[in-house]
Amino acid sequence: MHLHHATDDIRKPAPLPLPARLHDPQQQAAPLRLAPACDTHAWPLLALHAGASAAFAAALLPTAGWPLALTCCLLILVLLLRAVRAAATQPGRSACGTALLALDLIVFLLCYALRETDADWHATAFCLLLAAPYAGLTRHLLDGAVLAIVASLAWFGLQDDFQAGSAATLLLLNLSGIVAGHGQQRQRRAHLRRHAILAEQAVRDHLTGCYNRRYLDEHLLGAELARSQRHGLCLTAILCDLDHFKRINDAHGHAAGDAVLRTFAALLGNATRRGIDSVVRHGGEEFLLILPETDLAGGVRLAERLRAGLVRHIGTTASFGVASHVCAPDSQAPDAAALVAAADSLLYQAKHAGRDCVRAAMLDAL
């Protein structure tokens, strides 16, 4: 079995604030990526827009053009279904919505070109359809603005003579749409940013930036055990506790104790693998490391390096309990709490052995 062990070096804690060190940059950038209409509550508006264009194709095209009307309606229906279904299954879901809006406007302009009667209400209906690209149905405001401006120019190209009133109306509509669309997207970004911050705060410890106990119990440990069981990998847990931490608080104050905890958390984060291992503040001055694809020997080596590096970087000692389990696909997975309980029992043994030491064992040997 090929096992990946934790890194062999302990780097100095990064100078950046710890939450910035431990947080996922992709998660921080996520609020800037707006979802298209088919991902949000706006998709009914997209369906209404498509239905209106299909109705125009069915009602306004000449009687002899029914094959063209039927083709337009079918194309609109197909693109609408793709836009709605692509919300969770395809990466090009935004392109589907934009393509549907473009097809809707093309169908309406085609109806106007082939049947020029009732021009007054044609203009009114066109203005209503033209407002949709600015209503948050496209991922980027630029996409909607380009689509609306091109459609406006095409509308003027179909006119027999220049109409100042129509030009002023379309100009005002496009300017108002750009302003309104920009404001709407700013509001959506602010909402998504607040949501991301709240989601991050729900799984992170506010002092150290590590994962919190709630995230460990509800998601992290169970998911890692299931993955290790599925692929037949080792999973190791290291529970570490700062020795005589109360003396630091009593002698130097709680602010100094908080600084020690942040430095310790940064040391743990720098010694583990980004995107693979997890650092959890288990409670007080206790921290738990979840190390997928790491056997017992690899966990012990990491614990020993952390123990030695702790004295150099912080000037205090810590005790470590290392528990490991070899998961087999055809065997029953252990209870998620059993691995942590085993590491806690080994940590208790390390404390009673005089502290500043490592105790390790396989889960099935305890």
Side-chain angles (χ1 to χ4, degrees), residues 51-193:
S53 297
F56 288 140
L60 298 181
L61 286 176
T63 306
W66 68 265
L68 179 60
L70 180 60
T71 301
C72 292
C73 292
L74 289 177
L75 284 175
I76 289 173
L77 179 61
V78 169
L79 272 180
L80 177 61
L81 290 177
R82 284 177 61 88
V84 174
R85 293 182 61 186
T89 59
Q90 297 178 6
R93 51 185 178 263
S94 178
C96 290
T98 304
L100 178 59
L101 289 177
L103 178 62
D104 292 345
L105 292 171
I106 290 172
V107 168
F108 184 84
L109 291 172
L110 182 63
C111 295
Y112 177 73
L114 297 179
R115 184 172 177 174
E116 297 183 4
T117 58
D118 303 324
D120 292 339
W121 80 266
H122 271 85
T124 302
F126 180 69
C127 288
L128 291 175
L129 288 179
L130 202 62
Y134 296 113
L137 298 181
T138 55
R139 183 185 297 272
H140 302 291
L141 178 60
L142 180 62
D143 294 343
V146 169
L147 185 61
I149 291 172
V150 170
S152 299
L153 294 176
W155 171 267
F156 276 115
L158 296 174
Q159 303 290 327
D160 295 332
D161 53 355
F162 181 76
Q163 298 179 3
S166 297
T169 300
L170 289 178
L171 177 62
L172 179 62
L173 175 63
N174 283 289
L175 290 177
S176 301
I178 291 174
V179 173
H182 178 67
Q184 183 188 52
Q185 291 205 353
R186 287 187 61 184
Q187 291 179 354
R188 290 174 66 191
R189 284 191 175 92
H191 172 74
L192 290 174
R193 187 174 288 109

